[in-house]
Amino acid sequence: MGNEYLIAALAYVIVSVGLMFYLQMKSSKLKSRVEALTLLVKESDRQREAVKRELNELRSGTIGMGRKLLEIEKKLHAQSELIEETSQQDPQAKLYSRAVKMIALGADIEELMRECELPKAEVELLLCLHKK
């Protein structure tokens, strides 16, 4: 009966050692996977930060472009107002503007000369420039 206990104890020790090696092997594989996942997470964080920086740069650029666009829009509006003022102040420009409108409506040379008080050569030039 003493041998049976000895054999059972030996079997228990062998199975325990085998189980311990198996568990160490599994633990080692799990550690490798954890390390690989940790590296992936770190790389993902690095890429996320790079994308975040690029997004901030794009946002800053967009804001800057928006400001420049507003500035250009203001200048354009000021130029339009200046052109309008100038055209209203210059009586000769009014005549030419009126002549161009009349040409668009289909007026002939005689009508333009009479209504706008322009010489025939200027009326012919305007007709050449603005007729379709």
Side-chain angles (χ1 to χ4, degrees), residues 87-131:
S87 68
Q88 289 178 0
Q89 290 174 356
D90 184 11
Q92 196 68 12
K94 285 183 184 178
L95 291 177
Y96 287 113
S97 295
R98 183 172 178 207
V100 170
K101 287 179 185 175
M102 289 177 67
I103 290 170
L105 294 173
D108 64 1
I109 291 177
E110 295 300 324
E111 187 179 1
L112 288 167
M113 286 173 51
R114 184 178 62 250
E115 293 293 323
C116 299
E117 300 175 2
L118 293 172
K120 185 176 182 178
E122 288 184 26
V123 171
E124 288 174 345
L125 180 62
L126 284 171
L127 280 169
C128 288
L129 290 173
H130 294 284
K131 260 207 169 169

Side-chain angles (χ1 to χ4, degrees), residues 40-113:
L40 283 173
V41 167
K42 285 180 181 178
E43 178 63 19
S44 175
D45 286 344
R46 188 189 64 74
Q47 288 177 352
R48 183 179 51 83
E49 287 300 319
V51 168
K52 190 176 175 181
R53 278 191 308 274
E54 288 177 15
L55 183 61
N56 284 335
E57 288 173 10
L58 285 171
R59 188 177 298 137
S60 297
T62 302
I63 290 170
M65 289 300 289
R67 287 180 183 151
K68 285 187 184 260
L69 187 58
L70 286 174
E71 190 178 306
I72 290 170
E73 192 174 296
K74 286 178 185 176
K75 287 179 181 178
L76 180 62
H77 183 69
Q79 289 293 326
S80 295
E81 287 178 353
L82 185 62
I83 289 171
E84 186 66 29
E85 274 180 35
T86 305
S87 68
Q88 289 178 0
Q89 290 174 356
D90 184 11
Q92 196 68 12
K94 285 183 184 178
L95 291 177
Y96 287 113
S97 295
R98 183 172 178 207
V100 170
K101 287 179 185 175
M102 289 177 67
I103 290 170
L105 294 173
D108 64 1
I109 291 177
E110 295 300 324
E111 187 179 1
L112 288 167
M113 286 173 51

